[in-house]
Amino acid sequence: MSEQKNLINAAGPEPPRHIAIIMDGNGRWATRRGLPRTVGHKVGAETLRRIQAYCHKIGVRSLTVYAFSTENWKRSKDEVNFIMGLFRTYLLEAIESLERDHVRLRFFGDMSAVSPELQSLAHQTDEISERLPEDYFHANVCLNYGGRDEIIRAARRFASDCAAGKRRPDELDENLFANLLDTAGLPDPDILIRPGGELRLSNFLIWQCAYTEFYFTDTLWPDFTESEIDRAIAAYQKRERRFGGVNNK
């Protein structure tokens, strides 16, 4: 652990406030070992638990992970059912541990498409999280989530408010629109990490990542370790973030 801490401290004093991760490579990890894809998802779920706990420990304020996209329903029924079972286990554990571990949990995405049981469990975690202090660690899981779908849902909410006379079209600006998104109240990600070797966003947080730093690695998600987080943070802390401006130094 001291070696990991040294890697971070050598690059800068503080970790990013908000880390986003595309958890990619579960299926390929299993296939390369001659195992069913479901084994990769199970190991990937354990990786999420470790990485979430580690981010909390080193002072990251928010972690947002891409767990199941609006396009992932195209996978086989058996694989989808297995993944939903993992979500069920994750939620049951969260209900027991959120208050103890000082974690606020939110789900982003269209939850109406998942089973009533999962919706109910997610509602329970919402209720628990709302009771907890805002300065607790924020764990955000994107389930049946797509960046374009999120923007469309936000636009529909604004249009509905306009139709009801609650808003005027000329009131819309970036801040108002951001507060209509699933991530309302959260700062945009400082860094997006994508394991698995792919070099694209895959419809993840496309509004929020306008000025996010990207970090790509060939490591598959089930093999992702705390040291990988440290490397990503070290790389992030060496970057100069100008947000469209110019460094006059």
Side-chain angles (χ1 to χ4, degrees), residues 16-28:
R17 294 175 305 163
H18 185 182
I19 293 177
I21 301 179
I22 298 175
M23 302 186 296
D24 192 20
N26 291 341
R28 282 175 287 155

Side-chain angles (χ1 to χ4, degrees), residues 20-24 28 66 192-203 214-219 224:
I21 301 179
I22 298 175
M23 302 186 296
D24 192 20
R28 282 175 287 155
Y66 204 7
L192 181 144
I193 302 170
R194 179 160 191 166
E198 303 292 352
L199 306 177
R200 56 177 176 267
L201 272 176
S202 295
N203 201 18
F214 292 174
Y215 180 88
F216 299 102
T217 173
D218 290 335
T219 303
F224 202 81

Side-chain angles (χ1 to χ4, degrees), residues 1-13 15 54-60 226-227 230 234 237:
M1 185 66 69
S2 60
E3 182 178 346
Q4 294 170 347
K5 287 292 185 182
N6 288 339
L7 180 60
I8 295 175
N9 292 338
Y54 183 64
C55 286
H56 188 187
K57 182 176 182 178
I58 64 175
V60 175
E226 292 86 344
S227 293
D230 291 340
Q237 290 174 329

Side-chain angles (χ1 to χ4, degrees), residues 157-173 175-177 179-180:
R157 280 194 286 271
F158 182 72
S160 178
D161 284 348
C162 289
K166 299 177 182 178
R167 294 281 187 185
R168 299 189 317 274
D170 59 4
E171 291 183 79
L172 187 62
D173 59 18
N175 288 332
L176 193 160
F177 193 75
N179 283 317
L180 295 170

Side-chain angles (χ1 to χ4, degrees), residues 94-186:
I95 289 169
E96 297 298 322
S97 65
L98 291 179
E99 189 166 7
R100 180 194 68 212
D101 294 341
H102 295 188
V103 174
R104 290 168 59 102
L105 176 65
R106 292 171 64 186
F107 279 83
F108 300 152
D110 181 5
M111 295 294 287
S112 67
V114 303
S115 71
E117 181 186 22
L118 283 183
Q119 291 183 50
S120 176
L121 291 172
H123 182 65
Q124 290 182 57
T125 62
D126 283 342
E127 290 184 329
I128 295 169
S129 297
E130 285 299 318
R131 299 199 303 265
L132 301 178
E134 183 65 30
D135 62 356
Y136 277 12
F137 178 76
H138 289 244
N140 311 301
V141 178
C142 294
L143 172 56
N144 191 34
Y145 173 89
R148 290 180 176 180
D149 178 71
E150 177 189 29
I151 290 171
I152 288 172
R153 286 187 284 108
R156 286 173 176 165
R157 280 194 286 271
F158 182 72
S160 178
D161 284 348
C162 289
K166 299 177 182 178
R167 294 281 187 185
R168 299 189 317 274
D170 59 4
E171 291 183 79
L172 187 62
D173 59 18
E174 289 189 13
N175 288 332
L176 193 160
F177 193 75
N179 283 317
L180 295 170
L181 297 170
D182 296 347
T183 54
L186 281 179

Side-chain angles (χ1 to χ4, degrees), residues 81-99:
N81 287 341
F82 186 86
I83 293 170
M84 293 302 158
L86 292 175
F87 283 129
R88 179 180 183 275
T89 299
Y90 179 80
L91 281 161
L92 288 170
E93 291 175 355
I95 289 169
E96 297 298 322
S97 65
L98 291 179
E99 189 166 7

